[in-house]
Amino acid sequence: MSTSTGASLEAKLQAATSIYTKLESDYARAVEARQLLDAQKTENEAVKKLLLVILRTDHAADHEKHPIYLASQELASLTEQNKVYKLVGPVLMKQEQSEAKHNVDKRLEWINDEIKRAEAKLKDVGGKLEEKKVEIVNLQGQYQQQMQAAGGGGGGAKVPPVVAA
């Protein structure tokens, strides 16, 4: 076999290895994005359960002087008498219960959609990684066969790196 064919095969192998490296990087970023979404989901589920609620007491004057803060009150168990406050910077702003519930539910819905999208990307990039790995292994086999046929191992020719299975 000619050295130009060997050089061509080596160039293909190097190009495939370069693409494989880029796919590995893309996969790592997709995994990181998925993990971030999981953290956001957990945080927002906690928000749903741990909204700061100030309960109204029977004595309005006492309530204004001594508000009762409940950090473990679940959103679902709020009554119409409960007030919900949203922390905006350093200030607690009163918020309607329905708005608070809607905001948390919408945020969780968006995060779940993003998780599905991230999982689809992981599956896609993972499939491309496997395809490229098979291509590289095949090219490496062809390259080694050419090198052996061309002179018993290539006489010091550089052998491209092997991709771990």
Side-chain angles (χ1 to χ4, degrees), residues 48-95:
K48 189 172 184 176
K49 291 181 181 177
L50 301 173
L51 276 178
L52 178 62
V53 177
I54 300 178
L55 296 177
R56 238 189 239 167
T57 63
D58 293 332
H59 309 292
D62 288 343
H63 169 69
E64 290 172 11
K65 293 178 185 174
H66 308 287
I68 302 168
Y69 295 94
L70 294 181
S72 62
Q73 181 76 28
E74 290 189 31
L75 251 174
S77 64
L78 295 178
T79 66
E80 290 181 21
Q81 295 176 340
N82 299 128
K83 290 183 181 180
V84 177
Y85 292 84
K86 179 179 183 179
L87 187 62
V88 180
V91 179
L92 281 176
M93 304 275 298
K94 186 175 178 184
Q95 187 176 29

Side-chain angles (χ1 to χ4, degrees), residues 116-134:
K116 288 176 188 172
R117 190 181 64 76
E119 287 174 348
K121 183 173 182 171
L122 281 171
K123 185 177 179 182
D124 179 53
V125 174
K128 288 178 182 178
L129 271 171
E130 283 302 312
E131 290 173 11
K132 196 53 69 174
K133 188 185 298 184
V134 168

Side-chain angles (χ1 to χ4, degrees), residues 39-49 103-104 107-108 111:
Q40 287 176 344
K41 181 179 180 181
T42 301
E43 179 182 322
N44 281 281
E45 286 172 343
V47 166
K48 189 172 184 176
K49 291 181 181 177
N103 288 345
V104 171
R107 198 174 313 128
L108 285 170
I111 290 170

